[in-house]
Short mmCIF file of all heavy atoms in Angstrom, two decimals:
data_model
loop_
_atom_site.label_atom_id
_atom_site.label_comp_id
_atom_site.label_asym_id
_atom_site.label_seq_id
_atom_site.Cartn_x
_atom_site.Cartn_y
_atom_site.Cartn_z
N LEU L 523 13.28 -10.08 12.50
CA LEU L 523 12.14 -9.22 12.87
C LEU L 523 12.19 -7.89 11.99
O LEU L 523 11.10 -7.50 11.45
CB LEU L 523 12.13 -8.99 14.25
CG LEU L 523 10.68 -8.44 15.03
CD1 LEU L 523 9.76 -9.60 14.84
CD2 LEU L 523 11.00 -8.12 16.43
N GLY L 524 13.48 -7.45 11.86
CA GLY L 524 13.58 -6.33 11.02
C GLY L 524 13.17 -6.62 9.51
O GLY L 524 12.49 -5.82 8.81
N VAL L 525 13.58 -7.72 8.90
CA VAL L 525 13.31 -8.14 7.60
C VAL L 525 11.81 -8.20 7.40
O VAL L 525 11.15 -7.70 6.44
CB VAL L 525 13.96 -9.41 7.22
CG1 VAL L 525 13.40 -9.90 5.76
CG2 VAL L 525 15.44 -9.18 7.04
N THR L 526 11.22 -8.92 8.44
CA THR L 526 9.68 -9.09 8.36
C THR L 526 8.93 -7.80 8.42
O THR L 526 7.95 -7.49 7.78
CB THR L 526 9.23 -9.92 9.50
OG1 THR L 526 10.03 -11.23 9.51
CG2 THR L 526 7.82 -10.33 9.39
N ASP L 527 9.44 -6.81 9.21
CA ASP L 527 8.84 -5.54 9.44
C ASP L 527 8.93 -4.79 8.14
O ASP L 527 8.00 -4.09 7.74
CB ASP L 527 9.53 -4.72 10.53
CG ASP L 527 8.74 -3.58 10.98
OD1 ASP L 527 7.42 -3.67 11.02
OD2 ASP L 527 9.36 -2.53 11.22
N ILE L 528 10.05 -4.75 7.38
CA ILE L 528 10.16 -4.11 6.19
C ILE L 528 9.24 -4.69 5.23
O ILE L 528 8.61 -4.02 4.40
CB ILE L 528 11.70 -4.28 5.67
CG1 ILE L 528 12.64 -3.49 6.50
CG2 ILE L 528 11.75 -3.89 4.12
CD1 ILE L 528 14.12 -3.62 6.16
N ALA L 529 9.15 -6.06 5.06
CA ALA L 529 8.25 -6.68 4.10
C ALA L 529 6.83 -6.35 4.39
O ALA L 529 5.97 -6.10 3.56
CB ALA L 529 8.47 -8.22 4.11
N LEU L 530 6.54 -6.39 5.73
CA LEU L 530 5.04 -6.08 6.12
C LEU L 530 4.65 -4.59 5.71
O LEU L 530 3.51 -4.34 5.24
CB LEU L 530 4.88 -6.38 7.56
CG LEU L 530 3.48 -6.16 8.17
CD1 LEU L 530 2.36 -7.04 7.40
CD2 LEU L 530 3.45 -6.46 9.66
N SER L 531 5.64 -3.77 6.13
CA SER L 531 5.25 -2.37 5.81
C SER L 531 5.19 -2.07 4.30
O SER L 531 4.30 -1.24 3.83
CB SER L 531 6.39 -1.43 6.35
OG SER L 531 6.47 -1.52 7.71
N THR L 532 5.95 -2.74 3.47
CA THR L 532 5.88 -2.63 2.00
C THR L 532 4.75 -3.18 1.37
O THR L 532 4.21 -2.81 0.40
CB THR L 532 7.23 -3.13 1.42
OG1 THR L 532 8.39 -2.62 2.00
CG2 THR L 532 7.33 -3.04 -0.07
N SER L 533 4.17 -4.18 2.18
CA SER L 533 2.97 -4.85 1.62
C SER L 533 1.68 -3.90 1.87
O SER L 533 0.72 -4.14 1.15
CB SER L 533 2.69 -6.11 2.32
OG SER L 533 3.75 -6.97 2.09
N ILE L 534 1.83 -2.94 2.77
CA ILE L 534 0.55 -2.14 3.15
C ILE L 534 0.74 -0.62 2.67
O ILE L 534 -0.16 -0.12 2.00
CB ILE L 534 0.40 -2.20 4.66
CG1 ILE L 534 0.06 -3.68 5.08
CG2 ILE L 534 -0.74 -1.25 5.04
CD1 ILE L 534 0.02 -3.77 6.68
N VAL L 535 1.79 -0.08 3.06
CA VAL L 535 1.93 1.43 2.84
C VAL L 535 1.90 1.93 1.47
O VAL L 535 1.23 2.89 1.25
CB VAL L 535 3.14 1.96 3.74
CG1 VAL L 535 3.28 3.46 3.61
CG2 VAL L 535 3.10 1.56 5.25
N PRO L 536 2.68 1.35 0.55
CA PRO L 536 2.63 1.98 -0.81
C PRO L 536 1.24 2.11 -1.43
O PRO L 536 0.89 3.09 -2.07
CB PRO L 536 3.61 1.04 -1.57
CG PRO L 536 4.59 0.47 -0.64
CD PRO L 536 3.84 0.33 0.67
N LYS L 537 0.51 1.01 -1.33
CA LYS L 537 -0.87 0.93 -1.77
C LYS L 537 -1.69 1.96 -1.04
O LYS L 537 -2.46 2.68 -1.72
CB LYS L 537 -1.49 -0.45 -1.68
CG LYS L 537 -2.89 -0.47 -2.15
CD LYS L 537 -3.09 -0.12 -3.75
CE LYS L 537 -4.44 -0.19 -4.19
NZ LYS L 537 -4.62 0.33 -5.60
N MET L 538 -1.47 2.06 0.22
CA MET L 538 -2.24 2.99 1.11
C MET L 538 -2.00 4.44 0.64
O MET L 538 -2.89 5.20 0.53
CB MET L 538 -1.84 2.83 2.55
CG MET L 538 -2.64 3.71 3.52
SD MET L 538 -2.25 3.50 5.19
CE MET L 538 -2.57 1.62 5.45
N LEU L 539 -0.82 4.69 0.39
CA LEU L 539 -0.32 6.06 -0.03
C LEU L 539 -0.86 6.36 -1.49
O LEU L 539 -1.26 7.45 -1.81
CB LEU L 539 1.19 6.29 -0.08
CG LEU L 539 1.79 6.27 1.29
CD1 LEU L 539 3.36 6.31 1.20
CD2 LEU L 539 1.17 7.25 2.31
N GLY L 540 -0.99 5.24 -2.35
CA GLY L 540 -1.66 5.43 -3.63
C GLY L 540 -3.06 5.88 -3.52
O GLY L 540 -3.58 6.66 -4.40
N ILE L 541 -3.73 5.32 -2.52
CA ILE L 541 -5.10 5.68 -2.30
C ILE L 541 -5.25 7.13 -1.82
O ILE L 541 -6.05 7.98 -2.16
CB ILE L 541 -5.71 4.73 -1.31
CG1 ILE L 541 -5.82 3.24 -1.83
CG2 ILE L 541 -7.21 5.08 -0.82
CD1 ILE L 541 -6.14 2.18 -0.80
N PHE L 542 -4.46 7.40 -0.67
CA PHE L 542 -4.50 8.80 -0.08
C PHE L 542 -4.12 9.89 -1.04
O PHE L 542 -4.79 10.90 -0.98
CB PHE L 542 -3.57 8.83 1.13
CG PHE L 542 -3.94 7.86 2.26
CD1 PHE L 542 -3.18 7.68 3.32
CD2 PHE L 542 -5.28 7.28 2.37
CE1 PHE L 542 -3.65 6.84 4.49
CE2 PHE L 542 -5.71 6.44 3.32
CZ PHE L 542 -4.82 6.20 4.48
N TRP L 543 -3.06 9.68 -1.77
CA TRP L 543 -2.48 10.81 -2.53
C TRP L 543 -2.92 10.85 -3.90
O TRP L 543 -3.04 11.97 -4.58
CB TRP L 543 -1.02 10.85 -2.55
CG TRP L 543 -0.44 11.15 -1.10
CD1 TRP L 543 -1.06 11.75 -0.09
CD2 TRP L 543 0.96 10.93 -0.57
NE1 TRP L 543 -0.36 11.97 0.99
CE2 TRP L 543 0.99 11.51 0.69
CE3 TRP L 543 2.08 10.37 -1.19
CZ2 TRP L 543 2.12 11.38 1.38
CZ3 TRP L 543 3.14 10.43 -0.43
CH2 TRP L 543 3.21 10.88 0.76
N PHE L 544 -3.01 9.68 -4.70
CA PHE L 544 -3.36 9.64 -6.06
C PHE L 544 -4.72 9.00 -6.38
O PHE L 544 -5.01 8.84 -7.57
CB PHE L 544 -2.17 8.83 -6.71
CG PHE L 544 -0.83 9.34 -6.41
CD1 PHE L 544 -0.06 8.62 -5.58
CD2 PHE L 544 -0.39 10.58 -6.92
CE1 PHE L 544 1.32 9.07 -5.33
CE2 PHE L 544 0.95 11.02 -6.64
CZ PHE L 544 1.70 10.26 -5.79
N HIS L 545 -5.52 8.74 -5.43
CA HIS L 545 -6.83 8.19 -5.57
C HIS L 545 -6.90 6.86 -6.36
O HIS L 545 -7.84 6.64 -7.29
CB HIS L 545 -7.79 9.29 -6.10
CG HIS L 545 -7.75 10.49 -5.42
ND1 HIS L 545 -8.37 10.58 -4.16
CD2 HIS L 545 -7.27 11.75 -5.68
CE1 HIS L 545 -8.30 11.81 -3.61
NE2 HIS L 545 -7.54 12.50 -4.50
N ILE L 546 -5.81 6.12 -6.22
CA ILE L 546 -5.75 4.86 -6.97
C ILE L 546 -6.43 3.75 -6.06
O ILE L 546 -5.74 3.06 -5.21
CB ILE L 546 -4.32 4.37 -7.30
CG1 ILE L 546 -3.56 5.54 -8.07
CG2 ILE L 546 -4.35 3.11 -8.12
CD1 ILE L 546 -2.14 5.26 -8.29
N THR L 547 -7.64 3.68 -6.10
CA THR L 547 -8.47 3.00 -5.26
C THR L 547 -8.75 1.58 -5.65
O THR L 547 -9.01 0.61 -4.93
CB THR L 547 -9.81 3.61 -4.95
OG1 THR L 547 -10.61 3.79 -6.14
CG2 THR L 547 -9.68 5.02 -4.23
N GLU L 548 -8.58 1.28 -6.95
CA GLU L 548 -8.83 -0.01 -7.48
C GLU L 548 -7.71 -1.05 -7.33
O GLU L 548 -6.55 -0.62 -7.28
CB GLU L 548 -9.25 0.06 -9.04
CG GLU L 548 -10.55 0.78 -9.17
CD GLU L 548 -11.04 0.71 -10.77
OE1 GLU L 548 -10.09 0.37 -11.59
OE2 GLU L 548 -12.11 0.95 -11.03
N ILE L 549 -8.12 -2.28 -7.05
CA ILE L 549 -7.03 -3.37 -6.88
C ILE L 549 -7.71 -4.60 -7.51
O ILE L 549 -8.86 -4.93 -7.35
CB ILE L 549 -6.70 -3.56 -5.46
CG1 ILE L 549 -5.62 -4.59 -5.30
CG2 ILE L 549 -7.91 -3.89 -4.57
CD1 ILE L 549 -5.03 -4.74 -3.87
N TYR L 550 -6.93 -5.34 -8.19
CA TYR L 550 -7.53 -6.68 -8.83
C TYR L 550 -7.69 -7.61 -7.68
O TYR L 550 -7.03 -7.49 -6.66
CB TYR L 550 -6.40 -7.26 -9.82
CG TYR L 550 -6.32 -6.45 -11.09
CD1 TYR L 550 -5.11 -5.67 -11.42
CD2 TYR L 550 -7.29 -6.51 -12.02
CE1 TYR L 550 -4.98 -5.15 -12.63
CE2 TYR L 550 -7.26 -5.86 -13.34
CZ TYR L 550 -6.02 -5.17 -13.52
OH TYR L 550 -5.92 -4.50 -14.79
N PHE L 551 -8.77 -8.38 -7.85
CA PHE L 551 -9.25 -9.30 -6.88
C PHE L 551 -8.02 -10.34 -6.43
O PHE L 551 -7.87 -10.33 -5.23
CB PHE L 551 -10.42 -10.13 -7.27
CG PHE L 551 -11.07 -10.98 -6.26
CD1 PHE L 551 -11.86 -10.51 -5.36
CD2 PHE L 551 -10.68 -12.38 -6.28
CE1 PHE L 551 -12.44 -11.27 -4.40
CE2 PHE L 551 -11.14 -13.16 -5.26
CZ PHE L 551 -12.10 -12.61 -4.35
#
């Protein structure tokens, strides 16, 4: 469960912070 939680958080949060802080809103389809 811990491994899955790490992977799930890493799949979401880094890109989200890129949007929030650096305005990197584009993502390839």
Side-chain angles (χ1 to χ4, degrees):
L523 204 60
V525 171
T526 307
D527 194 41
I528 289 174
L530 181 59
S531 301
T532 304
S533 299
I534 297 175
V535 178
K537 178 59 181 176
M538 185 183 294
L539 294 179
I541 298 169
F542 291 172
W543 289 346
F544 307 108
H545 306 290
I546 305 173
T547 58
E548 291 188 345
I549 183 171
Y550 287 110
F551 186 82

